[in-house]
Every structure is written in C-alpha cells, then in structure tokens.
C-alpha cells in the first residue's frame, strides 16, 4: 500500500512522499526497501540513519532523521497496530470438530471453534468466537468469555472463570491444586484445594504458566483485567493480582500474596506468602520480596530493599577487597605502634 494509506490506518501525520510504496513492516536492522519500521527512543537514532527502510514511524522530534516518516505520539504502539493489520490473520469459524470430546450441557456461543482432540467437560459455557486448540482440556463447569483463545495442551481445571479476549498459550495450567499440606505425627497430609480461579478480561497468559486454584470453596485466585503474564510464571493459591500488571518469565508469587494495579514483577523475582505489593510498584529481576512494598516504589535484591539503597550496597560490595586491605594495613600499623595490642 502507499504510505498515505498506512498513515490513514494508524492515524499518523505524513512527512515526506505520501506515494512511497510500502510492502511490509520490520525492525530497524532487518528492514529492506519497501519496509516500514519505527523509532521509539533517542538511543536508536544512529541506527535509523542507516536503515534501508522506505519509511519510519516516529515522534515529531525525530522527523528530520529520515526522508519519509509517519509522525505519531507512540511509535511502538502504532507499529504494533500496523503489524496486527498486516500479519495477524483473523480466526476463521471452523465449527466443532467431530474428533473433539464434548460433555453434557455445554453452552456454545456463536462461531465457536473447537479443534480435534480438545476435551470439553460437562456444564462448560463458551462465549462467541472462542477458539479451543487441539489437546486442550476444559474442565467441568468452566466459563470462557467471548473472543478468548485457548492454545494447544492448555489445562483448565473445574471451578475456573475466564473472561473475554483472554489468550492462554500452550501448556499453561489453570486451577491446579495449591501447595497445601498439614503435618501430623510426622506425616504431611494434603489440605483439599476446593476454591476457584478468576481470570478477568484482556489477560494474556504465557506458555507453561501455572495458576493454582484457591484453597477454600468460596475463594478465588484472581488475575485482574489487562494483566500480562510471561512464560514460566507460577502463581500460588489465593493470590490476588490487580489490573494491568506485568509478570515476567520465571517470577513466582507465593500463596495469599496481594499484588496491586500496574505492578511490574521482573524475571525470576519471588514474592513470599501473604505479602502486599501496592499499586505501581516495580520489583527488579531476581529480587526476593519478604515484606510489604509501598505504592510506586522500586525494590531490588534479596531480601528486597529500595532500589537506590541496593545500588549503593552493590557499589560498596565491589570495593570490599580494597576496604579489607586498608583495614588490615591500619591494624598492622596500630599493632606496630602499640605492641600491647598484638593478638
């Protein structure tokens, strides 16, 4: 399409030739003639000068860097919109495969897609345009909202509610038993896990994520609307995660922790049980959270402390060999001047 057509699609202002032919979208380094790319930060300005792309989506302050550009407020978001238009194929209504296993009293919305070898248990309710891929297990009584996509080999146990426009990637397990045991006479006895899981609208759950069901019958492990969960994250029973959070790969949240809205928990970070992380907080990678985190604070380290304090600590640690050497020199000097201190 012409650059002007692209501008109309994403609501951009044109700088340069509106008739430039656009045949694809790519990253700065991989772009070739005919491609459109984007510039989201000043640190990539040098790369954009050398790109082979025919046009660039960028902010107004960078428009003089290239001959042809589309000016927007958020280049990365606009580029994502364009990629969706160019490359993401809409789900086709394939209907319910004869090779799928369908239980009793299942309620189907319009244009539902159930692929071969999927299992749908009794009393399940599927909204319109829901897609269930091969090997998925949808347990008894599960509800899935409109336009949600369940990829291959996902397991959703009973007592789970999945909202609208939810994406659950391959291998995720929703509603497995929480790690609950009580010790009596030297033996660990299982505490029945009989609660549920609530996944609100517009949540995306990565591959091989595990979200445990709540322990008590009327309780739910809750994932708030708009939250995005990366691959290999573990969320334990009775955890409550707020809206629009980001949980990055290999993060782990222990039982009954409360995570506020707009929280970021980075890769391999761990949160202890019954901890409360307030709105807007950021937990840096590989941190161990053992106490409540205030609102809009950044914490690092294990145990986690305020990030600025952690940076100062790290700076001191790198100088410890020098400090020890200086201390030993001072000790030798004191001992030499006052032999009574020897030993």
């Amino acid at each position: 399409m012409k650059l002007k057509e692209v501008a109309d699609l994403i609501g951009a202002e044109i700088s340069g030739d509106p008739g430039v032919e656009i045949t694809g979208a790519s990253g700065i380094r991989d772009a070739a003639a005919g491609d459109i790319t984007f510039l989201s930060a000043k640190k990539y300005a040098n790369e954009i000068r050398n790109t082979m792309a025919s046009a660039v989506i960028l902010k107004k302050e960078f428009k003089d860097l290239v001959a042809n550009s589309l000016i927007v407020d958020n280049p990365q978001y606009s580029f994502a919109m364009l990629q969706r238009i160019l490359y993401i194929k809409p789900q086709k209504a394939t209907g319910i495969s004869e090779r799928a296993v369908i239980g009793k009293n299942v309620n189907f919305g319009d244009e539902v897609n159930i692929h071969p070898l999927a299992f749908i248990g009794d009393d399940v309710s599927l909204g319109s345009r829901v897609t269930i891929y091969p090997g998925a297990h949808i347990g008894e009584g599960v509800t899935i909202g409109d336009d949600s996509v369940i990829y291959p080999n996902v397991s959703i146990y009973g007592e789970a509610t999945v909202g609208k426009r939810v994406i659950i990637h391959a291998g995720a397990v929703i509603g497995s038993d929480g790690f609950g045991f009580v010790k009596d006479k030297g033996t660990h006895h299982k505490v029945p896990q009989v609660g549920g899981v609530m996944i609100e609208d517009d949540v995306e759950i990565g591959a091989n994520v595990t979200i445990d069901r709540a322990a008590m019958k009327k309780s739910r492990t809750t994932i708030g609307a708009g939250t995005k969960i990366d691959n290999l994250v573990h969320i334990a029973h009775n955890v409550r995660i707020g809206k629009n959070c980001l949980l990055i790969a290999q993060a782990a949240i222990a039982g009954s922790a409360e995570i506020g809205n707009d929280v970021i928990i980075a890769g391999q970070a761990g949160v202890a049980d019954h901890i409360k992380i307030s709105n807007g907080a950021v937990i840096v990678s590989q941190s161990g959270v053992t106490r409540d985190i205030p609102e809009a604070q950044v914490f690092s380290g294990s145990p986690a402390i305020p990030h600025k304090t952690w940076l100062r600590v790290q700076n001191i640690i790198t100088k410890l060999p020098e400090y020890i050497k200086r201390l030993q020199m001072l000790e030798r000097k004191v001992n030499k001047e006052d032999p009574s201190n020897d030993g």
Side-chain angles (χ1 to χ4, degrees), residues 54-210:
S54 296
V56 181
I57 301 172
L58 40 64
K59 293 183 178 180
K60 191 171 186 177
E61 61 193 278
F62 300 125
K63 71 174 186 175
D64 294 333
L65 294 177
V66 293
N68 301 307
S69 61
L70 297 183
I71 300 168
V72 297
D73 292 331
N74 188 336
Q76 189 169 8
Y77 173 69
S78 295
F79 187 77
M81 289 174 56
L82 181 59
Q83 282 194 302
R84 181 181 297 277
I85 293 167
L86 294 178
Y87 300 123
I88 302 302
K89 297 178 180 179
Q91 296 284 346
K92 293 182 179 180
T94 59
I96 301 171
S97 170
E98 294 181 354
R99 297 175 62 197
V101 178
I102 309 296
K104 301 175 182 177
N105 301 318
V106 176
N107 182 34
F108 296 106
D110 298 329
E111 300 180 23
V112 167
N113 305 308
I114 311 295
H115 288 258
L117 306 182
F119 174 89
I120 312 296
D122 296 343
D123 302 312
V124 167
S125 178
L126 303 179
S128 298
R129 298 169 302 280
V130 167
T131 297
I132 311 292
Y133 278 95
H137 174 102
I138 311 300
E140 182 178 344
V142 168
T143 298
I144 300 176
D146 296 346
D147 300 297
S148 291
V149 179
I150 311 301
Y151 278 103
N153 299 321
V154 168
S155 295
I156 304 178
Y157 290 39
E159 304 295 333
T161 299
V162 177
K164 298 177 181 179
R165 300 173 300 279
V166 171
I167 300 171
I168 305 180
H169 288 281
V173 179
I174 312 299
S176 53
D177 283 358
F179 194 72
F181 298 89
V182 59
K183 194 171 185 178
D184 183 63
K185 298 178 181 179
T187 301
H188 295 288
H189 299 272
K190 185 177 181 65
V191 176
Q193 306 291 294
V194 294
V197 175
M198 165 64 80
I199 298 172
E200 296 181 356
D201 297 344
D202 300 301
V203 169
E204 182 158 354
I205 297 171
N208 295 319
V209 167
T210 56

Side-chain angles (χ1 to χ4, degrees), residues 236-292:
H237 58 192
N238 295 93
V239 169
R240 298 181 63 86
I241 295 176
K243 301 179 188 301
N244 298 312
C245 294
L246 297 176
L247 277 66
I248 316 303
Q250 299 183 10
I253 317 297
S256 299
E258 294 186 32
I259 313 299
N261 300 327
D262 299 297
V263 170
I264 298 174
I265 300 178
Q268 297 186 334
V271 178
D273 58 287
H274 295 85
I275 293 296
K276 183 176 181 179
I277 299 179
S278 299
N279 296 343
V282 176
I283 309 302
V284 176
S285 297
Q286 297 188 331
S287 298
V289 181
T290 57
R291 59 171 170 144
D292 292 351

